Amino acid sequence: MTDAAQIAQLYVDSWNETDAERRAGLLAALWTEDARYIDPMMAGAGRAQIDALIAGVHQQFPGFRFALAGKPDGYGDKVRFSWTLGPDGQSLVEGTDFGVVENGRLSAVTGFLDKVPA
């Protein structure tokens, strides 16, 4: 899996998955075992910590869904994509994430928040 659009879609799918077992499968398909994630509000290293971050987002924002915004792109071992988060298709939070791909999986993601509610 080296296509930026596929990586971005699987990324959003994993952030939207509320079933822990299915999410673990998505994370195994998408992230390297020692992957790192960081954004202005949280950070994690390894799939287990990334899973815990995602579970925390579900607890804090029940019923909210992520969606891709625009077209993901990438070159070499880098991917970039933007996303929205909100209930019922609303865009309350928006961000752009930059990833490093290693053997078809994400080894690192740095997230930026572009729009946050006041």
Side-chain angles (χ1 to χ4, degrees):
M1 175 191 7
T2 56
D3 177 72
Q6 290 176 320
I7 290 170
Q9 187 59 60
L10 188 54
Y11 180 86
V12 166
D13 292 346
S14 66
W15 279 86
N16 283 332
E17 184 55 63
T18 57
D19 180 271
E21 191 173 316
R22 285 194 303 250
R23 188 172 57 242
L26 291 169
L27 293 174
L30 178 63
W31 296 86
T32 62
E33 204 162 318
D34 60 346
R36 297 174 322 280
Y37 175 88
I38 188 167
D39 71 25
M41 302 179 74
M42 57 189 175
R47 289 184 200 143
Q49 286 185 11
I50 293 167
D51 181 55
L53 297 176
I54 294 171
V57 169
H58 287 290
Q59 287 179 342
Q60 187 173 1
F61 303 104
F64 280 35
R65 303 279 298 166
F66 285 89
L68 288 174
K71 182 181 178 200
D73 64 352
Y75 63 91
D77 65 347
K78 307 292 189 285
V79 294
R80 172 183 69 171
F81 50 91
S82 296
W83 49 265
T84 63
L85 174 65
D88 302 320
Q90 295 180 51
S91 175
L92 299 180
V93 181
E94 297 176 2
T96 301
D97 289 1
F98 295 87
V100 178
V101 180
E102 182 180 300
N103 297 319
R105 292 188 175 142
L106 289 171
S107 62
V109 169
T110 302
F112 292 85
L113 300 175
D114 302 325
K115 173 185 165 186
V116 191

